[in-house]
Amino acid sequence: MRRLKWLFAIILLWGCASVLKVHDIPEVRLDQAAFFPTIEAHTNAPILAGNHIDVLRNGDETFPVMLREIKHAQSTITMAQYLYEDGAIAHEFAEAFADRCRAGVSVNILLDDHGSQKAPSDIIKMMKDFGCHVEYFRRVKVEGIIFPWRLLRYNYRSHRRILVIDGRVGFTGGYGISEAWTGNGRTPEHWRDTNARIEGPAVKFLQSGFAESWLEATGVVIGGKAFFPPLEARGDVPAQIVKSSPTGGSFQSYMLFLLSINSAQKTIAITNPYFIPDEVMTEALVKAVARGVKVFVLAPAKIDSQLAYTVSRGHYGPLLRGGVQIFEYQVCLLHAKTMVVDGVWATLGSTNFDNRSFALNQEINLTVYDHAVATRLEEIFHEDLKYAKQVTYEEWKSRGIYERLVELFAFPVKDQL
């Protein structure tokens, strides 16, 4: 068994991809007419007017709204979820899905095989027994053991969080269906996260993200008005859904973050639990400071992977020297993945600020050009800073020998974190 584990680890390292090296970035500011077309071209995602966006914090604000929409579904429910594990909230969602199946609603649920490996079999069986279609994304199959190179695909996960009701109302963010995401994000047992409820034309592209992953996992094509109804304007927010599928050679999430950082003229506020920027991203952030942009990064002081935390801190040096202000959230595990640029351009979703999200996983993000939504996310950012501690360059330089050794020896695996 131990030999098999080592073989699997070697195969994953051998199969680790990285983003394409970007050598030259156009100087397109956020306030220039060319910014939208540039972002659309490099993310392969149109920016659509007419959306309504509700920002939802933590499980206290997110799960009740999701369950309400599920219970009112009339025709279809689609959900792609990276993490689904045992607990009261998991059973509540399963029962809501099963209830709609009994009412004749088509329910399609796609769970990532790695992230949802702890999903209880009784929950899955109950949903299937009532007619829900539950599938797993990239399960390890027998031929993967016989032909180990086929395990390479297992390293490319679906990290997307998608919930779409009747093709009209959508949710995305960083949430998992787990007790860890319940609560208000201010106590040790409950994670801090930020999610969104979406109505309007952008929902079609959230559904498209589900359809892409579902097709790969099942070979089934979803379509028709039940999944893709005509969508009228529900608000006045321009928004886009950026979905990244690196195994197809596309790195849309990476380009979204890089071009957004490069466009900033005033402020950048980044919240991310796995903050491991590469050299290009680090340089872009430092250059932003040099041109007068105030750059703030909020990362966790506690995380579910001590190795990832140590590797992340190892990247602080050049950023701190360059004037980037870095804070660490103290009270619980910070899992929100947001970025706000110049108080008007903002993104949130499943994407971590690391190579695994940019080059290995399927990811999905909502991006908006709206002062009200961006201001709300900035307010949340500054509220979180009250529970954070700033990291200084002097403190970072004085980190212990153990931390430095971990940084050194983690080099071969850092792109997998």
Side-chain angles (χ1 to χ4, degrees), residues 257-264 268 281 284-285 288 291 339 353:
F257 278 73
L258 184 59
L259 290 170
S260 297
I261 290 168
N262 200 58
S263 74
I268 300 171
M281 286 288 191
L285 289 166
R291 64 176 180 267
M339 181 170 68
F353 212 105

Side-chain angles (χ1 to χ4, degrees), residues 58-354:
N58 312 310
D60 276 359
E61 294 182 5
T62 304
F63 292 149
V65 180
M66 284 182 166
L67 289 165
R68 181 192 70 202
E69 297 292 353
I70 290 169
K71 292 171 183 178
H72 287 90
Q74 298 298 307
S75 57
T76 61
I77 299 172
T78 54
M79 184 181 78
Q81 179 54 243
Y82 175 72
L83 191 146
Y84 199 120
E85 61 185 20
D86 198 10
I89 193 65
H91 282 269
E92 191 171 356
F93 268 87
E95 289 166 3
F97 289 136
D99 180 70
R100 297 324 294 152
C101 286
R102 282 195 295 266
V105 174
S106 172
V107 178
N108 296 318
I109 299 170
L110 182 63
L111 305 177
D112 183 79
D113 188 48
H114 176 73
S116 295
Q117 59 186 305
K118 294 181 180 179
S121 57
D122 62 316
I123 283 182
I124 304 302
K125 183 178 184 302
M126 179 188 69
M127 290 191 289
K128 288 183 174 181
D129 285 348
F130 283 104
C132 300
H133 304 116
V134 184
E135 301 290 346
Y136 285 87
F137 185 83
R138 291 181 183 159
R139 300 206 83 160
V140 175
K141 299 180 179 179
V142 175
E143 57 263 32
I145 306 300
I146 301 173
F147 307 104
W149 56 88
R150 294 190 179 181
L151 290 174
L152 291 176
R153 293 183 71 255
Y154 186 75
N155 195 31
Y156 297 83
R157 309 311 316 161
S158 177
H159 197 240
R160 293 171 177 171
R161 275 78 165 174
I162 300 170
L163 176 64
V164 179
I165 312 298
D166 294 335
R168 298 182 180 278
V169 178
F171 295 85
T172 193
Y175 60 89
I177 307 301
S178 162
E179 292 303 298
W181 271 270
T182 60
N184 64 3
R186 301 292 191 222
T187 57
E189 302 82 15
H190 301 121
W191 295 11
R192 238 305 280 129
D193 221 323
T194 302
N195 311 298
R197 178 185 180 276
I198 311 162
E199 285 186 279
V203 175
K204 177 176 72 173
F205 293 89
L206 193 65
Q207 186 78 293
S208 172
F210 174 84
E212 178 186 60
S213 300
W214 186 254
L215 176 62
E216 178 184 331
T218 67
V220 175
V221 178
I222 63 169
K225 287 186 177 181
F227 292 96
F228 296 100
L231 296 174
E232 300 177 352
R234 302 291 293 176
D236 56 2
V237 177
Q240 68 172 170
I241 299 294
V242 177
K243 55 186 180 72
S244 187
S245 301
T247 51
S250 61
F251 304 95
Q252 291 96 333
S253 294
Y254 184 82
M255 294 308 299
L256 168 67
F257 278 73
L258 184 59
L259 290 170
S260 297
I261 290 168
N262 200 58
S263 74
Q265 298 299 305
K266 300 175 183 177
T267 59
I268 300 171
I270 297 170
T271 299
N272 209 279
Y274 302 92
F275 183 74
I276 310 176
D278 64 11
E279 292 181 3
V280 175
M281 286 288 191
T282 298
E283 183 181 5
L285 289 166
V286 171
K287 282 185 175 180
V289 175
R291 64 176 180 267
V293 179
K294 294 181 179 180
V295 180
F296 305 92
V297 173
L298 179 60
K302 307 170 185 178
I303 201 168
D304 55 344
S305 168
Q306 184 62 37
L307 179 60
Y309 171 70
T310 303
V311 171
S312 175
R313 284 179 60 89
H315 286 72
Y316 286 3
L319 295 164
L320 292 168
R321 284 197 305 270
V324 175
Q325 299 183 54
I326 301 177
F327 300 81
E328 291 184 340
Y329 191 72
Q330 301 292 312
V331 294
C332 66
L333 195 151
L334 176 74
H335 199 258
K337 312 158 197 295
T338 66
M339 181 170 68
V340 185
V341 176
D342 290 352
V344 69
W345 178 254
T347 186
L348 68 85
S350 69
T351 306
N352 292 316
F353 212 105
D354 62 8

Side-chain angles (χ1 to χ4, degrees), residues 392-403:
T392 65
Y393 181 66
E394 290 72 23
E395 177 190 345
W396 179 82
K397 279 183 63 179
S398 66
R399 67 200 187 283
I401 185 66
Y402 174 76
E403 190 170 338

